[in-house]
Amino acid sequence: MFFISNTDQLNLLLFKGDAAAFQKEFESRLNALKKQVELQKGPVNNETKEKQKNELDVLSDALRKGGKQIPPFYQAKFQRALDELQKKFSNAPKPAFSFSFSKQMKPASETVTKPVQKDDENDQNIPETDWTLHDLKDQKIKHQCDGKHISINQFENCTLLIENEVPSISFNNAKNCIFIVPIVTGSAHITKCESCTFVFSIKQLRIHQTSKTDFYISIASDPIIEKCTEMRFAPLKGDESGPWDKVKDFDHPETYTSPNWSIIPESERKIPEF
């Protein structure tokens, strides 16, 4: 069993590459929104209008991301329906004596994702977030990245494989998970994870407030940890794994030695597979 918001259901289907299920889910939600709007008579209260606008935003963003995975006929059909809904929202009568203001909605073709918040100057090259998945439990997911940053939040007992190159990726609040990301051309940020295993070939790795977690890495720069405990590291590519064992602990900045991390004994090393 897994838990996922309606907003992320479409993202999850795209993430898994299930085009048929995505089309079915998208059409079902689009028709539900159209029916709801068509049945409305007179002014609509602000709360209902805002919920409908949010759903239209979600559908517009999903079609922007996944439109190429469905037949062109349906892609055009869905876009026309979204445009018609947008016009209805723009022309809808306003409730009388309303002093609240809702933000103006962008047309479907202009809906964009928000940039990832930068932690420091070294993160300026992180691209915009295109995939954000959260609240998943007991799932096994395989994904092809489309060149955008991926954000993973609130995973438990999951296994995730990214099959191709990723520019950057972040993980937050994961527990008992396995993450296999063979090629990360930029950085990975890991925060508040517990009892997980990560497999990376990566340029930069930063880990915060994480515990009891193993890393099999090939890396171009020293891994950095902060406020972490019981971290273990091992090389992913033998002697060609870079400074995988030069872990910098910001809680012990004067040396590479720290009680918060150790090397995985060779007898215990087992790189997970999907």
Side-chain angles (χ1 to χ4, degrees), residues 80-266:
R80 286 195 300 270
L82 291 174
D83 291 341
E84 289 175 3
L85 282 170
Q86 174 59 47
K87 290 179 181 178
K88 289 183 178 180
F89 280 122
S90 299
N91 298 328
K94 298 180 180 179
F97 308 109
S98 174
F99 292 95
S100 62
F101 296 88
S102 60
K103 62 182 180 180
Q104 185 177 2
M105 186 175 181
K106 295 181 179 180
S109 60
E110 295 181 10
T111 303
V112 297
T113 53
K114 294 182 179 180
V116 177
Q117 184 176 358
K118 307 296 189 301
D119 286 338
D120 53 40
E121 294 180 356
N122 292 327
D123 297 330
Q124 295 300 316
N125 293 325
I126 294 180
E128 292 183 348
T129 299
D130 198 57
W131 291 102
T132 301
L133 289 181
H134 61 86
D135 297 326
L136 289 183
K137 186 175 182 180
D138 302 328
Q139 289 289 293
K140 191 172 184 179
I141 304 169
K142 185 184 295 185
H143 176 60
Q144 287 271 346
C145 179
D146 61 357
K148 296 292 183 68
H149 175 82
I150 297 174
S151 180
I152 304 296
N153 306 309
Q154 302 287 349
F155 272 37
E156 184 175 355
N157 298 324
C158 292
T159 299
L160 169 66
L161 168 64
I162 307 295
E163 295 184 291
N164 59 340
E165 186 176 286
V166 179
S168 59
I169 192 166
S170 60
F171 302 86
N172 298 278
N173 294 292
K175 185 175 182 180
N176 297 324
C177 292
I178 296 173
F179 298 109
I180 305 171
V181 191
I183 303 176
V184 184
T185 58
S187 63
H189 288 247
I190 298 168
T191 305
K192 294 183 179 179
C193 293
E194 180 183 349
S195 302
C196 294
T197 300
F198 291 87
V199 180
F200 289 131
S201 178
I202 194 169
K203 182 178 180 181
Q204 184 182 77
L205 177 61
R206 298 190 174 190
I207 311 162
H208 307 272
Q209 297 174 278
T210 293
S211 63
K212 300 178 181 178
T213 293
D214 289 350
F215 292 85
Y216 293 89
I217 58 173
S218 173
I219 191 166
S221 60
D222 297 348
I224 294 174
I225 66 174
E226 184 176 15
K227 297 180 180 178
C228 296
T229 58
E230 298 183 65
M231 312 291 289
R232 304 199 308 170
F233 294 82
L236 179 61
K237 299 179 180 179
D239 294 337
E240 299 179 357
S241 296
W244 64 272
D245 57 348
K246 302 297 183 183
V247 180
K248 290 183 177 179
D249 186 349
F250 277 6
D251 296 318
H252 296 268
E254 70 283 352
T255 176
Y256 281 113
T257 60
S258 163
N260 297 320
W261 72 274
S262 62
I263 293 175
I264 302 175
E266 291 190 17

